[in-house]
């Protein structure tokens, strides 16, 4: 899971080097959403609650 | 014209220096992981993701010029990292709950991470207050473009190292809460 987020970031840096600005922004935003989901999963599993 | 050129050089220097600052932070984390054998916890890895996200938005500043969307993405990633590090500080803030990993200059890495993200947010606040967005990429000399590309390649190398190290530690599933060894050894 976490390695997948790093993979998304790696794809983003390649897209930046290819000078595709909008695609880079989209990939970066998707990475942020994925990381936030993992963070929420950590919080909910740690506190034994459900959001 | 000379004033415009000075502005461009100044913004390029700012862009490169801010990325180098974050590269030092992430290199320190990798030093702790490989030299001191301190495996990163899931929250530590999420903080790395946050810093890398800020750094990639800064790389977009270098490649495409300063834009509000890049600054917005940087701020979002900085906020995310701040939340994650604050969560980790909260886990260990009560006396007797212990800590995770080694301390650096008296504070643990997650505390430094929180301080760093607050500094990033304040830095971007200052940039927005003074409306400092002067880069005109078309006017950059080829030497500056080469330096920009080198910095971005350095960032991609850091991401690649983190990706491989994380795969070695966690595989394709969720990372263990208190990792003691690499799962892919």
């Amino acid at each position: 899971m976490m390695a997948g987020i790093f993979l998304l970031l790696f794809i983003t840096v390649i897209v930046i080097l290819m000078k595709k600005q909008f695609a880079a922004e989209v990939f970066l935003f998707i990475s942020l959403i994925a990381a936030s989901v993992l963070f929420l999963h950590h919080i909910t599993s740690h506190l034994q609650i459900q959001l | 014209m000379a004033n415009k050129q000075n502005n461009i050089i100044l913004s390029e220097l700012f862009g490169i220096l801010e990325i180098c600052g974050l590269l030092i932070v992430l290199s320190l984390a990798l030093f702790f992981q490989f030299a001191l054998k301190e495996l990163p916890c899931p929250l530590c890895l999420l903080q790395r993701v946050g810093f890398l996200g800020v750094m990639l938005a800064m790389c977009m500043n270098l490649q495409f010029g300063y834009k509000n969307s890049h600054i917005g993405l940087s701020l979002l990633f900085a906020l995310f990292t701040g939340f994650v590090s604050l969560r980790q500080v909260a886990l260990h803030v009560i006396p007797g709950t212990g800590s995770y990993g080694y301390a650096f200059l008296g504070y643990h890495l997650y505390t430094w991470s929180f301080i760093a993200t607050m500094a990033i947010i304040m830095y971007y606040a200052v940039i927005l207050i003074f409306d400092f967005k002067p880069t005109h990429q078309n006017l950059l000399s080829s030497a500056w473009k080469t330096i920009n590309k080198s910095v971005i390649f350095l960032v991609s190398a850091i991401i690649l190292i983190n990706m491989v190290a994380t795969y070695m530690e966690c595989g394709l599933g969720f990372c263990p809460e208190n990792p003691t060894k690499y799962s892919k050894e």
Side-chain angles (χ1 to χ4, degrees), chain A:
Chain A
M1 290 279 187
M2 198 71 80
I5 298 178
F6 283 108
L7 180 65
L8 270 174
L9 291 175
F10 188 66
I11 293 171
T12 310
V13 83
I14 289 172
V15 174
I16 289 174
L17 283 169
M18 287 163 63
K19 298 200 171 183
K20 309 269 186 215
Q21 190 192 341
F22 182 69
E25 285 171 358
V26 169
F27 270 111
L28 204 51
F29 197 70
I30 293 171
S31 313
L32 179 65
I33 302 281
S36 305
V37 169
L38 268 190
F39 181 48
L40 277 179
H41 172 266
H42 167 83
I43 288 182
T44 50
S45 64
H46 207 268
L47 296 180
Q48 300 293 311
I49 59 167
Q50 289 196 339
L51 290 180

Side-chain angles (χ1 to χ4, degrees), chain B residues 16 36 54-55 60 63-64 91-92 97 103 132-133 144:
Chain B
I16 290 169
L36 303 180
V54 174
M55 216 152 60
M60 287 204 280
Q63 189 80 315
F64 310 113
L91 281 176
H92 302 294
T97 49
F132 180 73
K133 292 180 286 184
W144 278 112

Side-chain angles (χ1 to χ4, degrees), chain B residues 38-185:
Chain B
E38 181 191 306
L39 288 183
C41 56
L43 288 175
C44 313
L45 287 170
L46 281 175
Q47 285 162 52
R48 286 187 195 182
V49 168
F51 278 120
L52 284 170
V54 174
M55 216 152 60
L56 284 179
M58 289 172 174
C59 286
M60 287 204 280
N61 284 339
L62 279 190
Q63 189 80 315
F64 310 113
Y66 277 79
K67 293 201 168 70
N68 285 341
S69 56
H70 307 160
I71 294 176
L73 277 168
S74 278
L75 283 173
L76 278 178
F77 269 103
L79 269 177
F80 169 76
T81 318
F83 274 123
V84 177
S85 49
L86 200 59
R87 160 78 182 150
Q88 198 167 7
V89 169
L91 281 176
H92 302 294
V93 77
I94 300 169
T97 49
S99 59
Y100 190 88
Y102 297 103
F104 176 72
L105 298 177
Y107 292 129
H108 287 89
L109 288 188
Y110 41 86
T111 312
W112 279 117
S113 167
F114 182 70
I115 294 168
T117 47
M118 290 304 113
I120 290 168
I121 290 170
M122 278 190 269
Y123 169 74
Y124 275 114
V126 171
I127 279 190
L128 289 174
I129 287 168
F130 289 103
D131 201 17
F132 180 73
K133 292 180 286 184
T135 311
H136 303 281
Q137 295 299 307
N138 298 336
L139 299 177
L140 278 181
S141 67
S142 60
W144 278 112
K145 283 182 181 169
T146 312
I147 294 172
N148 284 354
K149 275 235 165 77
S150 314
V151 170
I152 297 174
F153 273 118
L154 213 56
V155 172
S156 62
I158 289 273
I159 295 174
L160 205 58
I161 293 170
N162 271 299
M163 188 172 78
V164 174
T166 308
Y167 176 72
M168 297 292 283
E169 183 188 332
C170 314
L172 293 175
F174 289 106
C175 296
E177 287 293 321
N178 284 306
T180 49
K181 63 181 180 64
Y182 289 100
S183 67
K184 300 279 178 191
E185 269 182 330

